Amino acid sequence: MNVKELEKTARALVAPGKGILAADESHGTIEKRFQSIQIANTEDNRRAYRDMLFTSKGFGDHVSGVILFDETIKQKGLAGTPFPEVLAKSGSIPGIKVDAGTVAMTGSPEEKITQGLDGLRERLIAYRQLGARFAKWRAVITIGTTIPTLPNLRENAILLARYAALCQEQDIVPIVEPEVLMDGDNTIQRCLQVTEQTLHETFDALYDHCVVLEGMLLKPNMVIAGKKCPAQATPELVAELTLQCFRHTVPCAVPGIVFLSGGQSAAQATHHLSLMNAGPLPWQLSFSYGRALQDEALKAWGGKPENVAKAQKLFAARARLNGLARSGKYEPKMEAELVRA
Ligand code: 13P
């Protein structure tokens, strides 16, 4: 394990003014995104869509790295260049999603366990040869009246830690993603309690598995009320409770925390990130958004080559606003830029 290289990659991924684009939708997830714009989920459409995103002007200015799916890391863009090379040329680091999705947990079927450790060492070796310098594994934690259970939190934490240790063995920076879903009707206080417990269990397991904290990134949810909760919190309260939660649970040896957007609107996710970056923090606080970076561009693209330029402008504008949010300089009135784009 080359700790210096791991640290260097992790720090580059959370460099000031930049963040990560999660473009690692599985075939099932991209199907849902394409259904929303009524285009077929074919390999050519997936290539054209990712090409549109990755070749937008100034891509590397605000996108430090991109999480790819297995198909995409092996695919060539429309100009015939392999996608990892397209990214590297723009100054963005290629990454790879390595989990194999979730299954219902035996004995507690409302909860999920992530799969994908089988053959992971060999896959990591192959992905590194294809250019990957970081990876992602997502655990899913569901809030309900009697869940999450401690066995679910512990099992997911152990899987995240084993994955992270295997990545570091191959000099690949692990993004450790324990996502507490925001789909329910729970209050923000309940999300705070569950997220805090999830992160405690996660860092306990990372310690047990000797994961080098300086060579990893954490990808958590924000502390936020469930989407169906009648009492939605103010952006200021989301920022305050999220930071409180991390101060209690995330060691300052971790170089960066990169949020998922989890179903927040693009504007909401940017605003929350900016509020949290208003003062000094022990870690870099950045983004690793999927939907919150892509949704506006996806809609404008609609699967039509003639819309590529417009979609790319929207993508670049949203990436720039998130870049500003890295230093607390975003303001909601800047949303007007996207209307003009
Ligand atoms: P969202 O930002 O759309 O939640 O996606 C981020 C991600 O990578 C989820 O695993």
Side-chain angles (χ1 to χ4, degrees), residues 22 24 33 67 97 136 138 177 179 219 259-263 288-292:
D24 59 330
R33 307 280 182 267
I67 315 174
K97 170 219 205 54
K136 173 189 119 172
R138 172 174 177 253
E177 181 179 6
E179 174 175 5
K219 177 162 172 167
F259 287 109
L260 58 94
S261 59
S288 175
Y289 294 155
R291 284 162 286 179

Side-chain angles (χ1 to χ4, degrees), residues 60 96 147 244 247 302:
I96 182 75
I147 56 173
Q244 176 190 317
R247 286 198 182 97

Side-chain angles (χ1 to χ4, degrees), residues 188 223-224 231-240 272 275:
I188 188 170
V223 172
I224 195 165
Q232 290 294 314
T234 61
E236 288 73 18
L237 188 62
V238 171
E240 182 193 330
H272 287 147
L275 288 174

Side-chain angles (χ1 to χ4, degrees), residues 6-132:
L6 288 169
E7 286 183 29
K8 198 171 154 219
T9 306
R11 279 202 300 265
L13 286 168
V14 291
K18 298 185 186 192
I20 297 168
L21 166 66
D24 59 330
E25 297 83 3
S26 62
H27 290 334
T29 304
I30 200 78
E31 167 108 33
K32 280 192 230 154
R33 307 280 182 267
F34 281 1
Q35 265 170 10
S36 74
I37 54 164
Q38 291 167 345
I39 71 156
N41 185 16
T42 62
E43 189 185 341
D44 280 346
N45 282 342
R46 293 192 293 270
R47 178 202 319 279
Y49 176 59
R50 267 86 184 228
D51 192 273
M52 179 275 290
L53 293 173
F54 304 163
T55 62
S56 60
K57 196 161 164 262
F59 184 79
D61 295 352
H62 301 292
V63 181
S64 56
V66 181
I67 315 174
L68 301 167
F69 186 59
D70 180 72
E71 173 185 81
T72 325
I73 200 169
K74 298 169 180 165
Q75 207 173 30
K76 289 180 174 147
L78 295 176
T81 311
F83 277 131
E85 256 180 66
V86 173
L87 296 178
K89 273 189 199 142
S90 75
S92 191
I93 305 171
I96 182 75
K97 170 219 205 54
V98 298
D99 68 67
T102 60
V103 288
M105 179 164 147
T106 314
S108 182
E110 278 180 278
E111 298 188 279
K112 300 264 195 288
I113 293 290
T114 304
Q115 304 194 108
L117 281 184
D118 288 353
L120 181 56
R121 179 178 278 131
E122 292 70 30
R123 284 193 288 133
L124 288 168
I125 293 169
Y127 285 140
R128 194 179 150 93
Q129 276 167 0
L130 289 167

